[in-house]
């Protein structure tokens, strides 16, 4: 395997999903995960990793057993920054989470670990070596999400 980890970035999940199909990347990414590759999906990327998406659904890779509701917090203008809930444990304490037209994750399956919640809702989850993050960790100087990806 040539890469240790892969990031599916934020953006627009309809567009990214079409690109994955057009460039025949669905199976290679699923095989990368199946071979033990680490994957982080942020925002639109989190939608693409989920079991199913709702609210203008897109075909997903189905690598994390969770549902994603697109644009669940409103429009771009409703973007916000919020702190991780205080009971998320020491690893994530004090993390500021930047949400931009973010999805809401729900119904995590039994093999899904919820690492970070904001207002009680899961915003960083993990199944095996696949992580879904509904906020944008690349927009702060806090490297903990990326470090967790490389350490898992
Ligand atoms: N709302 C976008 C979507 O549904 C995701 C936004 C983002 O990645 N910041 O694809």
């Amino acid at each position: 395997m040539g890469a240790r980890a892969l990031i599916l970035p934020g953006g627009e999940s309809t567009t990214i999903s079409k690109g994955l199909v057009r460039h025949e990347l669905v199976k290679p990414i699923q095989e990368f995960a199946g071979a033990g590759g680490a994957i982080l999906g942020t925002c639109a990327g989190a939608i693409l990793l989920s079991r199913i998406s709702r609210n203008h659904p897109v075909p997903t890779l189905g690598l994390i057993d969770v549902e994603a509701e697109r644009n669940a917090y409103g429009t771009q203008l409703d973007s916000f920054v919020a702190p991780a809930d205080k009971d998320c444990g020491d690893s994530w304490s004090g993390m500021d989470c930047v949400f931009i037209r973010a999805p809401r994750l729900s119904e995590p399956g039994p093999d899904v670990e919820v690492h970070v919640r904001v207002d009680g809702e899961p915003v960083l989850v993990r199944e095996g070596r696949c992580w879904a993050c509904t906020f944008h960790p690349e927009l702060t100087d806090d490297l903990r999400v990326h470090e967790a990806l490389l350490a898992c």
Side-chain angles (χ1 to χ4, degrees):
M1 193 186 307
R4 241 174 102 188
L6 174 71
I7 292 180
L8 296 178
E12 216 286 324
S13 52
T14 304
T15 308
I16 300 173
S17 164
K18 285 182 177 169
L20 293 179
V21 171
R22 183 171 302 169
H23 298 287
E24 300 182 351
L25 287 168
V26 171
K27 206 157 166 254
I29 293 173
Q30 288 169 333
E31 285 173 357
F32 177 74
I39 305 183
L40 167 65
T42 57
C43 203
I47 295 166
L48 292 165
L49 288 179
S50 66
R51 175 180 75 233
I52 192 169
S53 72
R54 303 199 182 283
N55 191 17
H56 305 287
V58 286
T60 63
L61 296 162
L63 292 172
I64 300 182
D65 188 10
V66 72
E67 293 188 14
E69 182 193 350
R70 296 179 65 190
N71 305 325
Y73 300 92
T75 70
Q76 196 91 357
L77 292 176
D78 300 310
S79 301
F80 60 99
V81 182
D85 287 354
K86 290 205 185 322
D87 56 2
C88 289
D90 290 346
S91 313
W92 307 107
S93 74
M95 175 170 278
D96 280 326
C97 306
V98 180
F99 295 92
I100 303 172
R101 223 155 59 93
R104 176 182 282 122
L105 301 180
S106 62
E107 318 262 340
D111 296 328
V112 176
E113 296 169 6
V114 177
H115 281 255
V116 177
R117 292 180 187 272
V118 167
D119 291 335
E121 310 221 49
V123 298
L124 176 65
V125 304
R126 168 187 182 178
E127 180 168 353
R129 302 191 75 210
C130 290
W131 297 75
C133 182
T134 63
F135 57 95
H136 282 264
E138 79 281 9
L139 293 182
T140 66
D141 293 331
D142 193 325
L143 297 178
R144 281 178 282 181
V145 174
H146 298 90
E147 285 169 351
L149 174 71
L150 293 177
C152 76

